[in-house]
């Protein structure tokens, strides 16, 4: 059964790059969102197993999405993907429940390690 996956990034190019970074054997039903408002609408309307989440987006940023996921008790794994590499930001997203923080652009080998670490592949 395919894992429902949401890729949320305001950049179409970044969404495509994340999708291409997933291993070919990864059985996923992939949805996309271009901002946090769209992402939350999807997360609140259907079960999503894994979210790839950018931090800097219009309308609602990644921190806002993480806060809403936590507040609403939504059950999903979140991997943050961002160019913001400040240690304070990495600590903040971890405190809000993100499993991992990956630097943009996504390194497919590092992504595989994280997916294996959490039993997602």
């Amino acid at each position: 059964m395919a894992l429902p996956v949401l890729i949320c990034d305001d950049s179409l190019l970044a969404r495509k790059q994340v999708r291409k970074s997933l291993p070919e054997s990864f059985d996923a039903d992939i949805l996309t969102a271009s901002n946090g408002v769209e992402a939350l609408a999807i997360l609140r309307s259907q079960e999503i197993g894994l979210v790839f989440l950018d931090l800097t987006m219009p309308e609602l940023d990644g921190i806002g999405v993480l806060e809403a996921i936590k507040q609403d008790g939504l059950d999903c794994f979140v991997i943050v993907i961002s160019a913001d590499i400040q240690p304070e930001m990495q600590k903040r997203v971890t405190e809000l429940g993100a499993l991992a923080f990956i630097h943009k652009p996504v390194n497919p080998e590092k992504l595989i390690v994280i997916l294996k670490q959490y039993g997602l592949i």
Side-chain angles (χ1 to χ4, degrees):
M1 186 171 151
L3 178 69
V5 173
L6 175 61
I7 301 171
C8 180
D9 196 303
D10 59 315
S11 164
L12 176 60
L13 182 63
R15 291 192 303 269
K16 287 181 178 180
Q17 198 269 329
V18 171
R19 183 178 279 212
K20 286 182 179 182
S21 297
L22 294 169
E24 286 185 28
S25 62
F26 188 56
D27 188 15
D29 181 16
I30 299 175
L31 301 168
T32 61
S34 62
N35 62 58
V37 172
E38 289 178 12
L40 283 178
I42 292 168
L43 288 165
R44 289 174 174 150
S45 68
Q46 58 190 293
E47 286 191 31
I48 299 293
L50 175 62
V51 179
F52 292 101
L53 182 64
D54 185 25
L55 289 180
T56 307
M57 297 179 290
E59 296 189 52
L60 182 64
D61 65 11
I63 294 296
V65 172
L66 284 167
E67 289 171 343
I69 287 171
K70 189 173 185 176
Q71 180 180 350
D72 294 358
L74 299 172
D75 187 24
C76 59
F77 292 113
V78 179
I79 297 174
V80 171
I81 300 173
S82 180
D84 185 348
I85 59 172
Q86 299 173 50
E88 304 84 33
M89 185 56 72
Q90 292 180 31
K91 181 180 177 202
R92 177 83 173 117
V93 299
T94 302
E95 289 170 348
L96 287 170
L99 294 179
F101 189 102
I102 299 175
H103 301 271
K104 281 185 177 181
V106 174
N107 177 316
E109 290 79 29
K110 288 182 181 179
L111 180 56
I112 288 171
V113 169
I114 291 167
L115 293 174
K116 283 182 179 179
Q117 180 180 354
Y118 292 100
L120 297 167
I121 59 169

